[in-house]
Amino acid sequence: MSYRIEIIVPAGLDALARAEAQQIGGLRLDPAGEHGVISATMRGPLPALFNLRCAISVFLMRSFAIPRPRALLGDEHFRAVLAMVETVRRLHPANTFQTLFLSAAGAESSVLRRFKHELSERLGLAVGDEDGDLVLRLRPSPDRSGWDLLVRLTPRPLATRPWRVCNREGALNGPVAHAMALLSKPRASDRVLNVGCGSGTLLIERLLIGPAAQAIGCDTDPEALACAYRNVAAAGLSHKVDLRDWDARQLPLAPASIDVVLADLPFGHLVGSHASNLTLYPALLREAARVTRPGGVAVFISHEVRLMERTLAELPVWRSEQQLRVDLGGLYPRIFVLRRVE
Ligand SMILES: C[S@@+](CC[C@H](N)C(=O)[O-])C[C@H]1O[C@@H](n2cnc3c(N)ncnc32)[C@H](O)[C@@H]1O
């Protein structure tokens, strides 16, 4: 049995996401196309796709050679749609899905309302208003030969991490945090410091890739630390993480005592302000350089691209090795991979 699959990833992290997807047995990727989308054919067990940590969500896809969505209400096509949904439902325990949601241009047209109603009746699911457990998308096929129907493989997006029991405004997207941790080239011997750890996303995603010799998170906001404690505990990592109320501008750490610094810096929108960033960034990057050993690495994400560039120009101890522009749903921060040089 083979299935057409569409994997949605943060645009800008396509190469990392493709490399991860290539590790999944039975998954054959189409040549790279639109940014943020990986199309593929799956010949292996579908649950293997639930392990994609760079992915936002994964959909089962089928193209229908029909001129208009109305044709989906016809018996043959409607049964094919139900079969797609059953394929997805069979991957999960009974009653995992309670509501359904259809995302489509014209989802409130009479035809698509009827389509949703028929689906809801046949599947025994309520129609959700905003989102649903069972998410379907309908769109014209890119080559205009018909219409594509997509069914999300999981009741929640893969980006919604099971360990996240405490959320905070400005918390980093799980797949982006995972990608940042990968960019640090994790090793078991790493002494990792996450400055401005907030709810703990980067630390948790780093440790879920593999062990570290040390993992410290620090933040000046006690509520952020309390949130990080809860998430770290939910991830089963409490005994591996040290959370501290340290100021990233003045760390009680010895010079060159850290191998990897990770940070999701205040962008100045939801967290912090541009005015405070003007002094925070230079002080934080200078202090991070002090505690990082020569040859060590820092992976930062920030929307303050010009400020980062200006600050790095004044701090030659950091050599920029890679920069990735990421699409965070209309916000385009940049990931900076920096090497601590002598
Ligand atoms: C963008 S948020 C990090 C969000 C985090 N990645 C998450 O997923 O929840 C930036 C964090 O930096 C912290 N912060 C700001 N100034 C700081 C400083 N001088 N020292 C340590 N942390 C600081 C803020 O309290 C905030 O939690």
Side-chain angles (χ1 to χ4, degrees):
M1 191 75 184
S2 86
Y3 301 98
R4 287 296 291 157
I5 297 295
E6 208 165 280
I7 305 167
I8 311 301
V9 305
L13 299 180
D14 304 71
L16 282 168
R18 289 181 72 83
E20 179 188 51
Q22 266 153 357
Q23 307 298 317
I24 303 275
L27 188 66
R28 193 191 183 102
L29 309 192
D30 292 3
E34 186 190 342
H35 286 302
V37 180
I38 300 173
S39 299
T41 300
M42 181 61 167
R43 294 207 166 76
L46 291 171
L49 298 166
F50 303 167
N51 300 323
L52 289 169
R53 304 196 64 82
C54 283
I56 295 169
S57 44
V58 184
F59 289 84
L60 190 63
M61 201 275 280
R62 180 170 166 163
S63 297
F64 290 84
I66 51 173
R68 278 175 292 280
R70 177 186 293 276
L72 288 174
L73 289 161
D75 187 52
E76 181 195 340
H77 295 315
F78 196 72
R79 272 196 277 143
V81 172
L82 290 176
M84 284 176 78
V85 172
E86 278 318 313
T87 298
V88 170
R89 288 218 285 195
R90 272 199 303 272
L91 304 174
H92 301 276
N95 300 324
T96 297
F97 297 93
Q98 302 290 332
T99 55
L100 80 86
F101 176 74
L102 175 68
S103 161
E108 288 314 310
S109 66
S110 59
V111 167
L112 291 186
R113 282 162 66 121
R114 212 179 118 206
F115 180 57
K116 280 189 281 189
H117 178 74
E118 298 274 324
L119 278 175
S120 128
E121 295 265 295
R122 292 289 292 271
L123 297 167
L125 301 177
V127 177
D129 281 340
E130 293 245 316
D131 202 347
D133 308 316
L134 184 76
V135 171
L136 294 94
R137 287 167 50 206
L138 182 66
R139 63 166 186 223
S141 306
D143 63 3
R144 303 276 146 186
S145 62
W147 288 77
D148 295 344
L149 187 82
L150 298 97
V151 183
R152 194 172 68 195
L153 284 189
T154 50
R156 293 282 153 274
L158 294 180
T160 305
R161 304 303 209 212
W163 54 257
R164 188 175 289 291
V165 292
C166 178
N167 205 356
R168 279 175 69 77
E169 207 161 36
L172 189 59
N173 168 295
V176 175
H178 175 78
M180 287 176 64
L182 284 180
L183 287 166
S184 76
K185 303 223 164 55
R187 287 185 303 189
S189 58
D190 287 341
R191 295 161 296 175
V192 180
L193 171 67
N194 176 198
V195 290
C197 66
S199 61
T201 315
L202 277 164
L203 271 183
I204 295 169
E205 291 293 325
R206 164 61 185 82
L207 291 174
L208 290 178
I209 293 174
Q214 200 177 10
I216 308 172
C218 77
D219 205 292
T220 42
D221 181 345
E223 283 182 22
L225 285 173
C227 190
Y229 270 111
R230 291 179 55 203
N231 286 329
V232 164
L237 295 168
S238 300
H239 56 298
K240 295 185 177 157
V241 171
D242 194 5
L243 293 169
R244 302 281 180 163
D245 60 350
W246 296 341
D247 188 325
R249 295 166 297 186
Q250 211 172 5
L251 296 163
L253 290 171
S257 57
I258 293 294
D259 304 295
V260 176
V261 183
L262 302 172
D264 164 23
L265 299 169
F267 289 6
H269 302 280
L270 296 172
V271 181
S273 67
H274 178 64
S276 57
N277 285 347
L278 289 176
T279 51
L280 174 68
Y281 277 40
L284 184 148
L285 265 85
R286 196 170 292 119
E287 183 64 347
R290 185 186 68 79
V291 301
T292 305
R293 70 163 170 83
V297 70
V299 186
F300 294 147
I301 186 166
S302 176
H303 196 252
E304 293 265 29
V305 174
R306 284 210 203 107
L307 174 58
M308 274 299 280
E309 283 173 342
R310 276 204 311 273
T311 307
L312 290 172
E314 285 167 16
L315 284 173
V317 282
W318 287 122
R319 186 180 67 221
S320 173
E321 290 200 329
Q322 196 180 355
Q323 295 191 17
L324 294 168
R325 184 174 179 265
V326 188
D327 182 355
L328 279 187
L331 202 62
Y332 295 90
R334 204 178 283 182
I335 296 175
F336 296 81
V337 183
L338 310 173
R339 181 73 52 189
R340 171 71 165 88
V341 289
E342 294 281 354

